[in-house]
Amino acid sequence: MKAEEFEPRIVAFLCKWCSSAGSDLAGVSRMEYPANVVPIQVMCSGSVSPLYIFSAFNRGADGVLVSGCHPGDCHYIKGNFYARRRLNMVKKLLEYVGLEPERFQMSWVSAAEGTKYTQIIKDFVKELKPLGPQTKLRRTR
Amino acid sequence: MAKIEDLKEEARKLLREGKVKYIIGYGVGSNGCMANPVFIKRPEDVDVLIWDPTCVHNLTRFLVDEKRRKAKEKQPDTRPVGIIVKGCDSRAIVVLLQEKFIDRKDVYILGVSCENAGVMDEKKLAKKLGAKRPRKIELGNKGQFIISTAEGKIEVPAAEILAERCLECKANFPVIFDVMSGDKTKRILEKPYGSIEQIEKLSPEERWNFWKAELDKCIRCYACRSVCPMCYCDECVVDSINMAVTPDTTAEEKADKTKWIQRSAEFSENFVYHMVRAIHLGGRCIDCGECERACPLDIPLRFLNKKLEREARELFGYEVGFDDSQPALISCFKDSDPEDFIR
Amino acid sequence: MKRTGVFICHCGINIAGTVDVKKVAQELSQHAGVVHAEDYVYMCSDPGQNLIIQAVKDKKLDHVVVACCSPNLHETTFRNASKAAGLNAFRCEIANIREQCSWVHKDRAKATQKATKITKSTVEKVRRNESLEALSVPVTRRALVIGGGIAGIQASLDLANSGYEVILVERSPSIGGHMIQLSETFPTLDCSQCILTPKMVEVSKHPKIKLMTYSEVQDISGYVGNFKVKILKKPTYVDKDKCNLCDECTKVCPIVVPNEFDLGLTGRRAIYIPFPQAIPASYTLDIKACPGLLPIACGKCADVCDVKAIDYDMKPQIIEEDVGAIIVATGYDLYDKENMAEYGFGKIPDVLDGLQFERLCSASGPTKGQILRPSDKKEPKEVVFIQCSGSRDPENHCAYCSKICCMYTAKHAMLYKHHVHDGQAYIFYIDIRSGGKGYEEFVQRAVEEDGVLYLRGKVSKVFEENGKVKVWGVDTLTGKHIEIAADMVVLAQAMRPSQGAQELAKKLKLAMDKDGFLAEAHPKLRPVESVTAGLFLAGAAQAPKDIPEAVAQASGAAAKAITILSQERLYHAPTVARVFTNLCTGCGMCVQVCPYDAIALKDGKVEVNEVLCEGCGTCSATCLRSAIQVKNLSQHQVHEMINACLGG
Amino acid sequence: MEKILLKKTLPQWVKQLASYTVFCPKKDKEERWNYTEIDHEGIDLNFLNTTVPPKKILFPQKEIFLEFIKTDESNQETLEIREVLPEKKATVIFGVRPCDARAAWLLDKVFSGEFTDPYYWIRRNQTVLVGLACHVPPSENCFCPSVEGSPFSEEGLDILITDLGDKYFVKSLTKKGEQLIRAAKQLFQDPQPEDLKKVKTIRAESVKKINRQLKDARAVSSKLKGLFESPLWDEESMSCIRCGICTYLCPSCHCFDISDEVESASPLKGNRVRTWDTCQFPDFTMHSSGHNPRPEKASRLRQRLFHKFQYFVETHGQFQCVGCGRCISLCPVGIDIIRVLERVNEHGK
């Protein structure tokens, strides 16, 4: 499939208090971004288990995004700090086994950063398109 | 120089005085020259204990069984278990203590130092010997291995047949013990991560092809997790039996349980299994190399764990297996943790 | 087989404009376990809600998904509707296809596809939800107020007058805070002490207020409605009930140390009363200054005390109190002059900060209200006031505006002129910020009636030169270099969170902003609440404020606290962590990560205190065996949502 | 039919078998032998034995039984089921060790009888097993004679090849075998008497070279019965780590699990698959109630040995062990089936 036709499928884990709210704000402000991302709202980025990320790729996600509150802004005081550690390890591991680094990303998006959220999604989709479909980890059949 | 006699003496004493339930150690095996785990209950059996470069096993794995057994007993025998540990094994005990899986009073630790050597690698040895069959292997006093074969004795510099992990060992003597035999000789590592650097330096695509080929081979016999002292979970998260069943759990609920991976030993599923295991061992693996040794298809699993060991150290300054009072890698953080990868 | 109903809202054209709602409904009707799917123009309208209630009854639905706007808006609406239809509230979930879909996409086909996925994943989630009832706990109907400044005093009085017991904790020997040090207050110029002392007295006499001065909060545990507080009561070595304020002790005390109340402009004895109207009215023996009690090195004060009020054996006490709500009013300190390299590091005796100048003006001050400069006790004829000293200077000092300096500097200049009619007051300023009732008029009055000279520009250097304080500056309006040989300089120092507030904030698990001020739960909509339930903020601890603002926020905080204290029981979301005991190995990692200390180890397994748990789920991501998971957002549910998102 | 084939012409023979998929042991980069699909140049019978037995071809670790699709249009459920049978392709496996072939012969017994297993038999019938007799034991732990096999046993094979140095002695044992030889008959000559003599001596030699043995296996088998409750199992299983190596890599172990692997929940779509399973996994006997009748590794080790040396003997008259020694060589903790059975011999009456 040619890169320009290819529409990456992205799963985004958004924390309820910052990133999901930020994404809501993007909506309220009628900003536009590609429809490739399907959001899953979690309570806190700290609750995103590595299992979610492996599982998403296993089910054929072309990209996975985890987004939480900025350090210090976590609604649960420090959940995002644990997420930062845990998911850094996951990222390093996935790169080590040869998955394209672009496919797994993490961001801090506050409830006030609708613009930032929009930009992140635009960039993410832009970076994934040239890579084509993620077939490495995907369950075949 | 570590002497098994010292340990035997101590072991005999412990058993005679009933200070320990039994002693987990190494004995002569029946498969070539390799040692076997032995479990000694009577002082008169202590003589079967051996210590030589074929004592590769991480015996702390059997503390997991011991805990399960104890949990089932009506009036559990609360005496400690005596166990012989090398440097790496002792770090496993540290982590087990750190994670409160065992209590210090549950174990009587008979430490033995690998000094300047370590344990041998069966495959390297076989290559070295060709057709010859090893009968016995000893550590010579010049840090060389003395291999007795039917065709006579051969001397080999330890480094040539040492297990890779021993060449990258952080502390080749026990870091925790009740008694210890041998000296705390610290080997200077010029390349503590040599083995994984050969993979790190590959291009992403080459790395991918490498791991694809390796994990394709996996038949999911689960020897890696079964032999691992850190894989002490009663049920592994990737096993779909992983759910609490009560008398009123409905059939629908039973059918509707999390299946992170499917039973088929196919790459996609093998991959998730090995990634989950690697991540779960991040900041916990003490590099005893057992998973890799046990793997019947020689998948280089150590490379996964060693990589995360390195990241834990370089990203978070986290050293595994030296301090049982520190929190686990993922249950603590620093404000200064790197976030260059975050947008 | 679960029977789920799906309801897709057009939201007029807000959703239907970009999302083909009919198609979504049709797709969903084919989704396994969905037995009813329909769309309607406004689901949140009464007829819309009735559609849901009717369908639940007719089709025997056991789960409901409403695909509409963000759950933050109408989740409650639709959960109540489901309740009205006889379902448990948690059997209803919202699929956000407006803010996160129709409003951000133009391509109709793609938006529709995405809306379908979002809705499907919500179906997969809701059908695995369990019925839950809100948790409830009894409330301890008492409050703790930390800080005895004007904000703390106001909050305490409001709470007490509403009939709730209050424990007011103040770390210094007397309440009153910085306000009691002030001479007059802007814009009315009425005497600060005159308006504050009545409130202080009211506090001390109030039957509902338990005043604990010379005390500090040491530790806090528990949760909203049921906090346990440990308070350290430092020994004053004086029994305030016996003390008759005869003041004999200070006369004999050989030790003199700088007097905090006068900011070091005067001295005090080791045994002292901070100021005449101190509350409680009693003396305190400053043990750091005293030659010592073990063994008693001097003992003069005890000797002269006829009423035997002095008790050298007084020991520190830890007092435990149960409260339901806490108001934090720890106030501010001035940014230390010693940080001001350009203004002589506070080493020049005649360079004062705002509070010192207040003392100079104050009738009860070191000079009994005469303005005399510290160095030679002469009346200064030329005084330079420098605004934004340490404020609005991100490179070297504080980035923020301390807000009150413009006003009090105007006040200072004015007071100076009232005392020294032939004197000249200069004010260096960057901007004049005089927003507030009567504020601008006040500034004008300073200029017009009292001839205060405002110079727009920053002072580059202040230094001593033959008995004068030289001030170099630039008037940015004329561009002229200005040099003034002043007799005295007054720096409007920036406001900082008070000393030790940070440590306290950590104990209380309060978030702080980058400057160390306490963070409110929402900058606009929840300005007096902290991120931790049951803890409220008042006064300058949260941000620089003047008195009326501090008082207003204090009353607001009190009112917020009352919303808790006035309840019999408190309700708490039941979507909390649950332990699968058969999988737990008791490694305790979850215990370590829990931000609320809601998890504890008990004989080899962990237990969740459901009232403490906020359901963040960090524990579940940490647990290596998925042995702890959040109700109605289990890993299994997320797993199924992932599948649905990826169209499989 | 007995023939002689010159070693150098072996590739030409394989070339004639273009219509077959051909497997033969190849070294992977970890230097383990592994059955790999090859072309005629790849053929090479100079190997020891593979880690994974040829059972992986006759009884693959994953076998799809059927596909199902369930659509659910507003309560109109329709369930569509399609049987999936193994792909038809004639196959030859070169270099099957007699023990592994014997294991296949045991599997034949398991998968026939009252219920014949179509999946197994389709693969079995389309596969020709070309065996290679063992000059020297391929493994330190070979003990086939002790369990009624031999380095040149013929059960389960279609052809048995014996290496005579520069040539092979090729004996066909079935029609399938003969066809294979006929496919290139010009390459084969009839054996000379000295060839036959050489075969005899080699065979006599080869048995002697085997250095492990289990005395009187039949007696062991009859003694097992009395030892069901023996403490022996606890002692011997102390070091067991409950992994699946001994069984997954056993040429004659054949336990499996059947599960539905769902591709998509809606519409419900997936496969019913058979995968290898092993009595050594704790969840092998786990009931859906959570109860597990074989919770201890002792009972699982006992099960393994009882199955191989008692139950199987009762039902099929044979040991379900062919003495390949894989479980001994590959066990990470040195559990040695011979040693355990010797202890059974001592204990039992």
Side-chain angles (χ1 to χ4, degrees), chain D residues 15-260:
Chain D
K15 196 166 188 179
Q16 298 304 311
L17 308 176
S19 56
Y20 293 85
T21 312
V22 180
F23 290 89
C24 120
K26 286 262 156 236
K27 257 192 183 167
D28 65 18
K29 73 175 196 301
E30 275 77 25
E31 310 217 309
R32 284 195 178 269
W33 295 103
N34 180 20
Y35 285 101
T36 322
E37 208 175 316
I38 55 140
D39 60 12
H40 65 283
E41 282 130 4
I43 188 78
D44 174 10
L45 293 185
N46 182 9
F47 71 102
L48 292 170
N49 202 3
T50 58
T51 305
V52 185
K55 125 179 142 177
K56 76 167 189 178
I57 298 163
L58 301 174
F59 171 61
Q61 186 165 10
K62 175 193 184 183
E63 183 90 77
I64 299 181
F65 280 2
L66 53 87
E67 294 172 353
F68 53 84
I69 300 172
K70 186 169 162 200
T71 46
D72 174 4
E73 301 204 8
S74 47
N75 307 344
Q76 288 313 307
E77 287 193 2
T78 53
L79 182 58
E80 185 189 321
I81 293 178
R82 195 171 67 75
E83 183 181 43
V84 182
L85 287 171
E87 167 195 10
K88 287 241 182 305
K89 57 173 184 184
T91 307
V92 192
I93 312 177
F94 275 93
V96 178
R97 291 294 177 181
C99 52
D100 289 345
R102 203 154 185 283
W105 174 69
L106 296 172
L107 292 185
D108 293 350
K109 301 180 188 303
V110 174
F111 290 115
S112 46
E114 191 182 348
F115 302 101
T116 60
D117 182 308
Y119 305 92
Y120 174 81
W121 281 107
I122 288 174
R123 297 186 188 277
R124 180 71 166 109
N125 291 331
Q126 71 186 9
T127 309
V128 191
L129 300 188
V130 180
L132 181 71
C134 308
H135 272 220
V136 284
S139 153
E140 277 285 87
N141 297 306
C142 286
F143 63 103
C144 50
S146 313
V147 285
E148 299 173 357
S150 89
F152 39 82
S153 66
E154 299 174 348
E155 295 93 346
L157 285 172
D158 300 292
I159 291 178
L160 178 62
I161 294 180
T162 312
D163 189 332
L164 303 181
D166 56 351
K167 52 189 160 179
Y168 290 120
F169 174 71
V170 183
K171 179 179 180 190
S172 80
L173 307 155
T174 64
K175 286 246 160 318
K176 280 199 270 171
E178 284 176 19
Q179 283 167 10
L180 214 62
I181 291 173
R182 288 216 183 76
K185 42 178 159 359
Q186 72 285 1
L187 299 172
F188 294 86
Q189 305 113 31
D190 290 324
Q192 304 306 311
E194 64 267 28
D195 295 326
L196 298 172
K197 210 157 129 284
K198 197 161 181 198
V199 170
K200 262 200 184 52
T201 45
I202 285 173
R203 291 185 171 189
E205 284 309 304
S206 63
V207 185
K208 295 206 198 86
K209 297 198 188 113
I210 291 174
N211 50 18
R212 303 229 34 198
Q213 86 172 114
L214 164 67
K215 287 192 208 56
D216 200 357
R218 286 282 164 181
V220 171
S221 139
S222 57
K223 283 178 180 174
L224 272 171
K225 244 199 180 68
L227 293 176
F228 194 83
E229 299 296 349
S230 163
L232 175 109
W233 306 115
D234 268 313
E235 297 159 24
E236 290 303 319
S237 65
M238 277 296 270
S239 55
C240 175
I241 58 170
R242 71 180 192 179
C243 75
I245 290 179
C246 51
T247 43
Y248 272 13
L249 297 177
C250 170
S252 60
C253 273
H254 52 263
C255 288
F256 57 78
D257 181 32
I258 297 176
S259 57
D260 288 346

Side-chain angles (χ1 to χ4, degrees), chain C residues 290-308:
Chain C
C290 177
L293 299 177
L294 298 165
I296 294 167
C298 154
K300 292 205 176 69
C301 47
D303 301 343
V304 296
C305 185
D306 304 338
V307 294
K308 299 274 162 284

Side-chain angles (χ1 to χ4, degrees), chain C residues 16-73:
Chain C
T18 21
V19 171
D20 180 345
V21 288
K22 294 263 180 258
K23 188 153 186 296
V24 176
Q26 195 267 340
E27 289 260 347
L28 264 293
S29 69
Q30 292 174 21
H31 191 82
V34 175
V35 295
H36 177 84
E38 69 180 309
D39 58 289
Y40 183 70
V41 58
Y42 286 112
M43 286 311 307
C44 57
S45 66
D46 266 20
Q49 296 184 46
N50 291 333
L51 279 180
I52 299 176
I53 296 168
Q54 214 41 50
V56 171
K57 290 182 175 150
D58 300 349
K59 302 253 179 116
K60 302 194 173 41
L61 304 179
D62 50 21
H63 293 87
V64 169
V65 168
V66 187
C68 56
C69 51
S70 164
N72 303 342
L73 300 169

Side-chain angles (χ1 to χ4, degrees), chain A residues 3 15-16 28-29 31 41 45 47 51 53 55 64-65 68 70 76 94 97 100 102 107 109 120 130 133:
Chain A
C15 83
K16 173 178 174 159
V28 175
S29 340
M31 296 164 178
Q41 181 179 297
S45 56
S47 76
L51 286 161
I53 290 136
S55 185
V64 176
L65 172 72
H70 287 270
Y76 302 104
L94 287 172
V97 295
E100 299 84 350
E102 297 83 357
S107 63
V109 173
I120 282 170

